[in-house]
Amino acid sequence: MFSCSLKDTAAIQSTNQELEAWLVAVDKSGLPGKFKAWVYQHGILPRILWPLLVYEVPISTIESFERRVSKFLRKWLGLPRSLSIIALYGKNNMLKLPISSLNEEFKVSHTREVLQYRESSDPKVSQAGIEVRTGRKWRAAEAVDAAESRLRHRVLVGTAGEEQA
C-alpha cells in the first residue's frame, strides 16, 4: 500500500483491519474450535507475517495483535480467559499446543532479515549497513548480536559434560 505521505501507519492500520476481519470470519464460520485454531495457524498467520515484514511495525503493535489473536484462540479452544500466553504458546510445557506466537514469528522473521543483510555474499549488500527497524522495545540487530555473543561464549567455555568425557 502506497500513500502520498510514504509512512507505514496507513499500511499498519490496514493490516490491523485485515487481521480483525479474518479472525471474525473464522469465528463466525461453522467450524469446530480446533479447526478454527488450525485455520489461524496455517492460513491467517502466514498471511499476516508478510506485511509485518515489509512495513516498519513496532513490537508494541505486534503485542496488541497477539493479544487479540490469543483472545480468539482461547475462545475457540475452550480455554479460560485467565490462561497465560506462556501456556498457550510455550514450547517447553507439558502440553504443547501446535500454535505459533505472532510475536515470536515476528522476531524470527526480523532476525532472519538482519542475518540476510549482514551475511550476504554480495559485498555491496553486506557492507551497506542496512538497519532493520522494529521499534524501541526490541531491536533485531541487538538480539542477533546477543545470540552470536552467547554462541561464541559457549564455544570458548564449552559445556560441562565435555570436560568429563
Side-chain angles (χ1 to χ4, degrees):
M1 171 186 265
F2 296 103
S3 66
C4 60
S5 68
L6 294 178
K7 293 185 179 180
D8 291 340
T9 53
I12 293 170
Q13 288 175 348
S14 171
T15 303
N16 185 16
Q17 292 168 353
E18 284 179 350
L19 176 63
E20 183 69 27
W22 288 333
L23 290 171
V24 168
V26 170
D27 189 45
K28 289 182 178 178
S29 73
L31 294 171
K34 61 184 175 183
F35 292 121
K36 291 177 182 179
W38 186 91
V39 168
Y40 162 75
Q41 180 67 28
H42 298 286
I44 296 173
L45 183 62
R47 284 188 181 150
I48 204 70
L49 284 175
W50 177 249
L52 300 181
L53 184 64
V54 172
Y55 302 112
E56 286 182 18
V57 183
I59 194 77
S60 57
T61 304
I62 301 301
E63 290 169 350
S64 70
F65 287 0
E66 186 171 287
R67 280 192 298 273
R68 186 175 313 124
V69 167
S70 298
K71 182 182 82 170
F72 278 98
L73 285 173
R74 285 186 191 101
K75 178 181 174 184
W76 296 338
L77 297 173
L79 300 171
R81 288 178 27 201
S82 61
L83 185 76
S84 74
I85 290 177
I86 296 168
L88 194 58
Y89 301 115
K91 300 295 179 199
N92 298 328
N93 301 342
M94 293 288 285
L95 176 62
K96 298 174 193 158
L97 295 174
I99 301 171
S100 300
S101 164
L102 181 61
N103 192 2
E104 192 67 27
E105 292 292 330
F106 173 80
K107 288 180 178 181
V108 167
S109 65
H110 277 73
T111 52
R112 259 192 213 120
E113 185 180 8
V114 167
L115 289 171
Q116 281 179 335
Y117 291 142
R118 194 183 288 178
E119 306 295 327
S120 175
S121 59
D122 184 359
K124 292 195 188 281
V125 173
S126 61
Q127 295 170 359
I130 300 170
E131 181 183 343
V132 176
R133 296 183 187 162
T134 55
R136 287 178 276 184
K137 276 178 125 177
W138 178 81
R139 299 184 196 285
E142 291 175 7
V144 169
D145 291 340
E148 287 175 340
S149 173
R150 284 192 303 271
L151 285 173
R152 281 191 300 273
H153 182 265
R154 189 177 298 157
V155 167
L156 288 173
V157 174
T159 58
E162 288 178 3
E163 295 174 11
Q164 295 174 356

